Amino acid sequence: MSDSADLRFTDPAPRIHSTATLKACRLGRHVAIGERVVLREVTVGDYSYFERHGEAIYAEIGKFCSIAANTRINALEHPIERLTSHKISYRPNEYFRYLGVDQAFRAQRRAKPVTIGHDVWIGHGAVILPGVRVGTGAVVGANAVVTGDVAPFAIVAGAPARMLRARFSAPTVERIMRLGWWDWPETRLFEAVPDMQALGIEAFLDKWEPLSRA
């Protein structure tokens, strides 16, 4: 905690459900990992959270991301160019002794990480395919299948996902990106939350742009 005597702030240690499985992950402050979430080689930024039954592998997730239940980030690829797409060809160790994991196929998977910006909302059951970049402020609709990059502050939905609209105008998006509120210290965030609740986006920016430069 930044100041043990300051009762405004809760314990920033990550909260991980007892049924979650994590391997080689890095978690930021106030991260929450829900029931039966499975993460492998994933970085999760401050304040981001996974709801129950989500999965992610080879991914970098920014701060303040809201990831709903049953999502899949960097969904597993299968080698369909081989004789069989079954994992017997790339994980034969699960069936036979003396045959190890196909390291070349694993390296191929690692070479296609998913990158998710800050303040991204990923809806229930959404699937993000390998190599996709989801921009800061984007919204991914429930059950969407995201096959290509998503622009910052875009709202996408469908299978495959298509852009529905932008959350804000281009000038407003530029102002939010310059503000970079996701990097503010917790003291400033604490002061800003009431204005996040009460002010429209333009009024919020008008007030906090000068304060953030002070």
Side-chain angles (χ1 to χ4, degrees):
M1 194 172 295
S2 62
D3 182 355
S4 59
D6 194 332
L7 297 179
R8 294 178 299 172
F9 307 120
T10 60
D11 185 352
R15 301 188 305 277
I16 305 170
H17 196 276
S18 61
T19 61
T21 301
L22 282 69
K23 181 179 179 181
C25 294
R26 292 184 296 168
L27 307 181
R29 304 169 70 254
H30 297 286
V31 164
I33 307 298
E35 178 183 357
R36 299 191 184 281
V37 168
V38 178
L39 304 180
R40 291 186 174 87
E41 297 186 35
V42 176
T43 298
V44 185
D46 297 347
Y47 297 90
S48 292
Y49 61 88
F50 274 81
E51 296 287 3
R52 62 197 178 281
H53 303 290
E55 294 188 33
I57 188 170
Y58 311 138
E60 182 171 348
I61 297 166
K63 301 175 183 179
F64 295 93
C65 289
S66 308
I67 302 173
N70 300 315
T71 54
R72 188 73 184 269
I73 297 174
N74 207 343
L76 180 64
E77 288 184 307
H78 289 252
I80 60 175
E81 72 283 357
R82 296 182 180 181
L83 173 67
T84 176
S85 62
H86 191 275
K87 64 182 177 180
I88 193 171
S89 78
Y90 59 90
R91 297 190 66 87
N93 56 303
E94 295 186 18
Y95 309 101
F96 308 110
R97 297 186 181 91
Y98 317 122
L99 294 175
V101 171
D102 185 336
Q103 295 299 331
F105 185 69
R106 174 178 284 182
Q108 177 182 317
R109 289 280 291 122
R110 282 189 172 127
K112 298 178 181 179
V114 165
T115 304
I116 295 174
H118 307 297
D119 188 33
V120 172
W121 174 19
I122 299 178
H124 184 103
V127 176
I128 314 295
L129 294 189
V132 166
R133 300 179 66 89
V134 179
T136 288
V139 175
V140 176
N143 297 313
V145 179
V146 183
T147 61
D149 292 352
V150 178
F153 292 90
I155 300 174
V156 302
R162 296 286 185 265
M163 182 170 174
L164 301 181
R165 64 179 178 86
R167 286 178 60 192
F168 306 114
S169 68
T172 298
V173 167
E174 291 177 9
R175 292 175 70 185
I176 296 171
M177 295 296 286
R178 285 197 301 268
L179 190 68
W181 65 267
W182 41 83
D183 290 327
W184 285 356
E186 60 187 358
T187 50
R188 182 175 293 167
L189 286 169
F190 181 89
E191 298 298 329
V193 165
D195 286 338
M196 292 180 183
Q197 297 170 340
L199 299 180
I201 185 63
E202 301 295 337
F204 183 91
L205 292 168
D206 289 344
K207 177 176 179 178
W208 282 93
E209 282 170 331
L211 294 174
S212 68
R213 292 192 291 267

